[in-house]
Amino acid sequence: KMSLPLVVTLVMLVACSVAMATRRIQLPYTVALVITGLALSLIRSIFYPDVDLGIHLTQDLLFGLLLPILIYEAAFHLELREFLDNWKAIGTLAILGAGVGIAMASTLIYGALRLFGFELSVDVAILIATILAATDPIGVIALLRETGAPRRLAVLMEGESLLNDAVAVVAYAVVLVALGLDSSQSQITASWLLSYIGWEICGAVLIGGGIGFLFAWLTSKVDDHLIEITLSNIAAFSSFLVAQRFHASGVIACLIAGMFGGNFGAKYGMSATTRIAVESYWEYLAFVANSIVFLLIGLDLDAGA
């Protein structure tokens, strides 16, 4: 088993190498990371089968650490005015698009695997499609910026991605109940569905809004970039954790807190130099989080199987 400092160093080295390489080739950074992870997994399975990296994409790592970083950073940089101006289109794309995507993906997964002789139930196909429902627009948005596409298109993509993450999490929980895989709820009823979705959304908005407003206000009372970076970290993780603790959507709560932090805390509570420092910090943190997520996706797949 490799030591943690060595693993972290190697992961960051690979991430930087892939990032520099993708600047020269027409391939999204996240896709390149997954491919690199698969290649490294194949090399390990052939030449070093007994080597354990000591780090895996577990539920605690993904939902407890990496997801709040990615959600908060994206929401922090999203303009609230532009989001509200396009809320109908964003909501339609996120909610209706997610539903259509899950239906199409489950059909394709079921049909394709059956075509190649793999026995797969419809239930499992739906569950897989729901897991894959969350979109990652990083490569697309980067391409839009490079080609000088209209700003509204990027806003729609970013806003849809944020809401889509929340919709996908809710859809996953509903599908688990529908398939009888949730021990806490035996079946879907109208009252359960309304109360669950209502509290998931409304409770998360209240929690995320309250925490986001509190830390945006605290930010305006100091002028120290280190303290304000720390406050933004606390806002990101506390909104997610508190919402999860009270069985609301941690994704939505973190999203709302991030929008408060970026649209109020950063604009009205930070000096220009502090704002640059905070924004740069979150951009870097998101880069690291994305690198870990997509690289570990490839590494955790047994390419030699």
Side-chain angles (χ1 to χ4, degrees):
K1 185 175 180 179
M2 299 174 67
S3 65
L4 184 60
L6 178 59
V7 172
V8 172
T9 301
L10 291 176
V11 167
M12 290 297 98
L13 179 60
V14 171
C16 287
S17 301
V18 172
M20 289 187 288
T22 53
R23 291 180 177 272
R24 298 179 176 274
I25 59 176
Q26 298 299 316
L27 187 66
Y29 171 64
T30 51
V31 175
L33 278 174
V34 174
I35 294 173
T36 302
L38 284 170
L40 293 175
S41 177
L42 181 61
I43 292 171
R44 183 185 62 187
S45 64
I46 295 174
F47 298 104
Y48 309 101
D50 297 328
V51 173
D52 181 11
L53 292 179
I55 180 172
H56 302 279
L57 194 60
T58 62
Q59 180 176 345
D60 288 340
L61 177 61
L62 181 60
F63 288 96
L65 179 63
L66 302 177
L67 186 60
I69 292 173
L70 297 172
I71 294 294
Y72 190 89
E73 186 273 337
F76 189 89
H77 289 93
L78 185 63
E79 288 285 342
L80 180 60
R81 178 183 56 79
E82 294 179 332
F83 180 85
L84 294 177
D85 288 343
N86 297 280
W87 72 270
K88 290 183 179 179
I90 291 172
T92 301
L93 289 171
I95 298 172
L96 183 61
V100 172
I102 291 172
M104 292 181 63
S106 57
T107 302
L108 289 172
I109 291 170
Y110 178 79
L113 291 178
R114 298 276 293 188
L115 183 65
F116 287 100
F118 294 97
E119 294 295 329
L120 184 73
S121 67
V122 176
D123 292 351
V124 175
I126 294 173
L127 187 62
I128 294 172
T130 308
I131 293 171
L132 298 174
T135 56
D136 178 64
I138 292 172
V140 177
I141 292 174
L143 185 61
L144 292 177
R145 290 171 180 169
E146 291 174 5
T147 56
R151 169 64 185 168
R152 183 171 184 268
L153 188 57
V155 171
L156 291 176
M157 291 293 297
E158 290 174 335
E160 186 277 336
S161 174
L162 284 171
L163 286 187
N164 174 270
D165 289 343
V167 171
V169 170
V170 173
Y172 176 70
V174 173
V175 167
L176 284 181
V177 175
L179 300 181
L181 300 175
D182 190 337
S183 59
S184 62
Q185 180 66 27
S186 59
Q187 61 181 350
I188 293 180
T189 62
S191 59
W192 173 83
L193 190 61
L194 288 174
S195 62
Y196 174 77
I197 295 178
W199 177 245
E200 279 282 309
I201 298 172
C202 297
V205 169
L206 290 174
I207 293 170
I211 291 176
F213 175 81
L214 172 64
F215 282 93
W217 176 77
L218 288 174
T219 295
S220 67
K221 300 302 176 183
V222 295
D223 187 18
D224 185 314
H225 69 282
L226 296 178
I227 295 176
E228 293 177 70
I229 287 173
T230 304
L231 288 174
S232 67
N233 274 277
I234 298 172
F237 289 104
S238 63
S239 59
F240 191 91
L241 293 173
V242 171
Q244 293 285 86
R245 174 65 179 81
F246 288 98
H247 306 291
S249 171
V251 172
I252 296 178
C254 191
L255 186 159
I256 298 298
M259 293 182 74
F260 265 93
N263 289 274
F264 298 102
K267 285 187 176 180
Y268 305 110
M270 296 181 186
S271 64
T273 53
T274 298
R275 189 182 308 120
I276 292 172
V278 174
E279 290 177 350
S280 299
Y281 166 80
W282 278 104
E283 287 178 4
Y284 171 71
L285 211 59
F287 168 78
V288 172
N290 267 307
S291 300
I292 293 173
V293 169
F294 289 98
L295 190 58
L296 289 183
I297 287 175
L299 283 170
D300 281 344
L301 293 175
D302 190 357

